[in-house]
């Protein structure tokens, strides 16, 4: 089982973790996406008003909105529903759009990628890294996209990685941090 700190880290990144009977369930909340969509709709209305007043003001607002929203859209990791059934040795991703037998999975990977720099008094570094935990099947399938202050995955992130590795394929897992 995962520790409370690992579950808190998942929740901080927008994921929930549940076990019920013989199924392990991870879900990604869509609140980040919904909030961004609402702000983008509001921005589109404002840009439309600018276009109605002066076409060049609308064009300028459109360029500024594009420059603001492009990096934000790239950072939102999308939705996830991962159901693991250790008893039947099956894994379902996003309501059966992808289903795998444990034998089809070559391994589990963890990878860290530098995303951006910022300044904050509340963080231990000025860097932001995206730590991805995923499956190696026919190709690499990302499962979790987590935010970190350091290039090296945290203890809690490694705990989630080790947990998945122990359930799915203890002898086949690989690490590329």
């Amino acid at each position: 089982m995962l520790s409370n700190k690992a579950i808190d880290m998942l929740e901080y990144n927008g994921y929930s973790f549940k076990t019920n009977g013989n199924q392990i369930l991870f879900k990604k909340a869509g609140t980040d996406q919904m909030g961004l969509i609402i702000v983008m709709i509001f921005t589109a209305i404002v840009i439309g008003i600018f276009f109605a007043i002066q076409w060049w003001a609308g064009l300028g607002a459109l360029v500024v909105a594009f420059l603001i929203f492009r990096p934000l859209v790239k950072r939102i990791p999308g939705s996830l529903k991962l159901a693991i059934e250790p008893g039947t040795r099956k894994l379902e991703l996003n309501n059966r759009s992808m289903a795998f037998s444990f034998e089809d999975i070559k391994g589990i990977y963890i990878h860290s990628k530098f995303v951006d720099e910022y300044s904050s008094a509340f963080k231990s570094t000025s860097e932001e890294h995206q730590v991805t935990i995923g499956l190696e099947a026919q190709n690499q399938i990302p499962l979790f996209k987590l935010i970190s202050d350091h290039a090296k995955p945290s203890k809690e992130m490694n705990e989630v990685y080790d947990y998945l590795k122990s359930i799915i394929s203890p002898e086949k897992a690989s690490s590329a941090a």
Side-chain angles (χ1 to χ4, degrees):
M1 286 303 287
L2 291 175
S3 70
N4 286 338
K5 285 187 175 186
I7 293 170
D8 289 344
M9 180 273 307
L10 286 172
E11 287 177 358
Y12 174 79
N13 283 281
Y15 296 93
S16 66
F17 169 75
K18 294 179 185 171
T19 57
N20 53 355
N22 61 345
Q23 188 178 52
I24 300 164
L25 189 64
F26 293 94
K27 283 186 176 180
K28 172 73 174 159
T31 55
D32 292 343
Q33 291 174 338
M34 289 306 296
L36 184 61
I37 289 170
I38 290 169
V39 171
M40 288 174 74
I41 290 171
F42 176 74
T43 303
I45 292 169
V46 171
I47 289 172
I49 293 170
F50 279 137
F51 265 115
I53 296 172
Q54 285 286 351
W55 70 268
W56 53 268
L59 187 63
L62 186 64
V63 168
V64 169
F66 176 77
L67 294 173
I68 291 172
F69 287 115
R70 185 170 177 248
L72 294 175
V73 169
K74 288 176 76 175
R75 283 191 188 179
I76 293 184
S79 64
L80 167 83
K81 182 176 181 189
L82 172 66
I84 303 171
E85 296 181 17
T88 59
R89 299 189 50 82
K90 298 212 183 257
L91 179 140
E92 292 178 3
L93 192 57
N94 294 330
N95 288 336
R96 297 187 183 171
S97 64
M98 298 177 119
F100 300 97
S101 170
F102 286 5
E103 288 76 30
D104 297 335
I105 299 170
K106 297 175 187 170
I108 309 293
Y109 71 89
I110 186 167
H111 174 74
S112 180
K113 177 177 95 172
F114 175 78
V115 176
D116 202 359
E117 280 195 53
Y118 59 91
S119 66
S120 172
F122 302 108
K123 301 289 184 172
S124 60
T125 70
S126 63
E127 296 180 354
E128 180 176 316
H129 297 267
Q130 183 178 47
V131 177
T132 304
I133 301 173
L135 297 176
E136 291 178 5
Q138 299 95 342
N139 52 10
Q140 290 190 340
I141 303 166
L143 298 176
F144 301 99
K145 292 187 178 181
L146 310 167
I147 297 169
S148 176
D149 292 343
H150 304 281
K152 185 178 176 184
S154 70
K155 184 173 105 174
E156 291 81 12
M157 292 173 187
N158 281 323
E159 183 180 341
V160 172
Y161 165 74
D162 291 337
Y163 180 70
L164 288 173
K165 184 172 65 168
S166 70
I167 291 172
I168 294 172
S169 179
E171 67 279 351
K172 294 183 183 178
S174 65
S175 176

